[in-house]
Amino acid sequence: MSVPGIIIASILFVLGMAGIVFPILPGAPLLLVGMVIYGFFDHFIHLTWPFYLGQTILMLFVFGVDYLANIWGVKKYGGSKYAVWGSVIGTLLGIFALGPLGIIVGPFLGAVGGELIATQKVNQAVRAGVGTLVGFLGGALIKIALQTLMIVWFFSVIL
């Protein structure tokens, strides 16, 4: 067991978990980077390629949750396909235009705009926008679970 490796990995794990709340931090990738750094310290004795493959798959699930939770929220709150597309476009534009805040505001505004194009009903459009916020919060809970699983798996292998 490499103490410096564990310290560096643990710092990256804390930053990775903070990435759930602060979208400017790439959460799951930071976890994986911490594990790879630990692997270098440990000469990859404990962490093998099947471990890294599994961790990479979990990381991809975390990425998928971001998009799918947003779409689920819009649909659950009665949004049309225009609202769904608006939320996806709003996510992409929001990140570039508003930085970290754009992760929340972009999908909301995109869903509202998309639903206004589809139905021209303000209350329905705002409801679809609220669905993106619900999806974001639900997605955050799932990401907490997945990222915690990644960390627990790491420590169960090295200890």
Side-chain angles (χ1 to χ4, degrees):
M1 178 170 65
S2 167
V3 173
I6 287 178
I7 291 170
I8 293 169
S10 295
I11 291 168
L12 290 171
F13 292 170
V14 169
L15 291 172
M17 292 303 281
I20 294 169
V21 179
F22 301 108
I24 193 165
L25 296 170
L30 285 175
L31 302 181
L32 194 56
V33 167
M35 293 173 198
V36 170
I37 289 172
Y38 179 85
F40 281 110
F41 277 94
D42 189 49
H43 304 289
F44 297 96
I45 293 170
H46 295 96
L47 305 178
T48 60
W49 73 266
F51 170 83
Y52 286 110
L53 177 63
Q55 291 287 3
T56 301
I57 290 168
L58 285 173
M59 182 185 70
L60 293 174
F61 281 156
V62 170
F63 286 145
V65 164
D66 275 334
Y67 296 105
L68 295 177
N70 192 6
I71 291 168
W72 172 85
V74 171
K75 288 187 173 257
K76 181 76 174 169
Y77 278 69
S80 67
K81 66 180 179 181
Y82 291 98
V84 170
W85 278 107
S87 72
V88 171
I89 293 167
T91 300
L92 297 174
L93 294 176
I95 293 169
F96 294 112
L98 302 172
L101 185 61
I103 296 282
I104 298 169
V105 175
F108 177 84
L109 293 176
V112 169
E115 194 62 27
L116 282 173
I117 290 170
T119 65
Q120 298 180 356
K121 296 179 183 175
V122 174
N123 61 345
Q124 178 58 32
V126 171
R127 185 173 160 88
V130 168
T132 66
L133 301 177
V134 171
F136 176 80
L137 293 174
L141 293 175
I142 294 169
K143 286 171 30 175
I144 288 170
L146 288 171
Q147 289 185 196
T148 300
L149 175 63
M150 291 174 74
I151 294 169
V152 168
W153 185 11
F154 169 80
F155 281 110
S156 72
V157 170
I158 67 161
L159 297 179

